[in-house]
Amino acid sequence: SAVISQKPSRDICQRGTSLTIQCQVDSQVTMMFWYRQQPGQSLTLIATANQGSEATYESGFVIDKFPISRPNLTFSTLTVSNMSPEDSSIYLCSAGLGQGSGELFFGEGSRLTVL
Amino acid sequence: AQKITQTQPGMFVQEKEAVTLDCTYDTSDPSYGLFWYKQPSSGEMIFLIYQGSYDQQNATEGRYSLNFQKARKSANLVISASQLGDSAMYFCAMRFHRTGGFKTIFGAGTRLFVKA
């Protein structure tokens, strides 16, 4: 298994600012992902964080808005840039071990409110 | 394109009874994995059960079982002997391979209410 820590757990941000969310895994993992979950909604994949290379973004998400870093096998960051109220959401970091059943492990999420 | 569908926005069940949460999926890949996750009001995502596309038998984990009907492309979750603590949001998910690794997509979710 993997234990994932995210910070901040919540924040209130002003329109036009940027915020970086950090994700730390307690063991080396093959895959790391960032999801967004808007209130009462499902999880939408933003991107796959690739170690040592550019992230792979899903349709509707772009690097300029959601830059992602993954310098090693246990750490990743997601930045939400030039925020607007529409970015108010929970951002979830997840990791897959690439073995066994391949389930995802999730952080506790970062709840962002943009005013 | 791959897709997960959960058509029950909300379900009610009496405590100690069994309940089935529906999930259908669509993919043309022969190899995929199906998952169920529970999300209580606290927001954490809890992995419940997994079914591989090549698995012959339905997966079971304690009170959870997955009714896998491959021809129908369905993967329903059955919770036996419901408990009050089962009240939560339940998401069906599918993992599939793509260049460079894999990807997991989620259904819209079903909110389960367990009545005392």
Side-chain angles (χ1 to χ4, degrees):
Chain A
S1 66
V3 177
I4 300 177
S5 302
Q6 268 184 252
K7 58 181 180 181
S9 58
R10 60 179 61 229
D11 208 340
I12 300 174
C13 307
Q14 295 299 315
R15 182 195 300 258
T17 63
S18 299
L19 182 79
T20 296
I21 302 167
Q22 297 181 1
C23 176
Q24 179 73 54
V25 189
D26 70 341
S27 59
Q28 293 186 344
V29 292
T30 307
M31 311 283 289
M32 292 184 74
F33 307 91
W34 288 97
Y35 285 85
R36 182 172 73 183
Q37 186 178 27
Q38 296 181 314
Q41 303 295 315
S42 183
L43 283 72
T44 301
L45 182 63
I46 297 171
T48 302
N50 299 311
Q51 193 257 327
S53 64
E54 189 172 291
T56 303
Y57 289 86
E58 298 300 312
S59 175
F61 298 96
V62 295
I63 187 171
D64 290 347
K65 177 67 175 178
F66 299 100
I68 289 170
S69 78
R70 190 178 172 193
N72 56 49
L73 292 175
T74 64
F75 185 78
S76 178
T77 67
L78 168 74
T79 299
V80 185
S81 303
N82 188 24
M83 286 186 283
S84 67
E86 292 71 36
D87 295 320
S88 297
S89 192
I90 298 172
Y91 293 84
L92 291 154
C93 174
S94 70
L97 298 179
Q99 59 187 12
S101 61
E103 75 268 27
L104 294 179
F105 300 92
F106 286 87
E108 61 271 25
S110 298
R111 183 184 293 269
L112 301 188
T113 302
V114 185
L115 303 178
Chain B
Q2 288 82 357
K3 188 177 180 181
I4 288 278
T5 302
Q6 294 179 255
T7 58
Q8 305 158 312
M11 289 281 287
F12 287 86
V13 64
Q14 195 69 39
E15 192 179 13
K16 300 181 184 177
E17 292 185 350
V19 63
T20 298
L21 306 184
D22 294 341
C23 173
T24 59
Y25 61 93
D26 191 18
T27 181
S28 56
D29 293 350
S31 176
Y32 51 90
L34 297 161
F35 302 82
W36 279 90
Y37 291 85
K38 173 183 178 182
Q39 189 177 46
S41 56
S42 57
E44 61 189 303
M45 289 287 288
I46 303 168
F47 163 69
L48 296 178
I49 196 167
Y50 162 79
Q51 181 85 41
S53 59
Y54 295 116
D55 294 343
Q56 297 293 319
Q57 294 192 329
N58 288 341
T60 61
E61 288 287 348
R63 294 187 298 111
Y64 304 108
S65 60
L66 198 152
N67 185 359
F68 181 44
Q69 309 232 350
K70 195 169 184 176
R72 294 184 175 183
K73 293 188 175 180
S74 73
N76 298 339
L77 177 70
V78 180
I79 305 175
S80 63
S82 297
Q83 303 172 355
L84 295 177
D86 294 335
S87 293
M89 194 75 165
Y90 289 81
F91 292 102
C92 181
M94 178 171 64
R95 183 197 69 214
F96 52 91
H97 292 278
R98 64 170 184 185
T99 303
F102 63 88
K103 173 179 172 179
T104 302
I105 60 172
F106 289 80
T110 297
R111 186 168 295 280
L112 179 66
F113 300 91
V114 180
K115 299 181 291 184

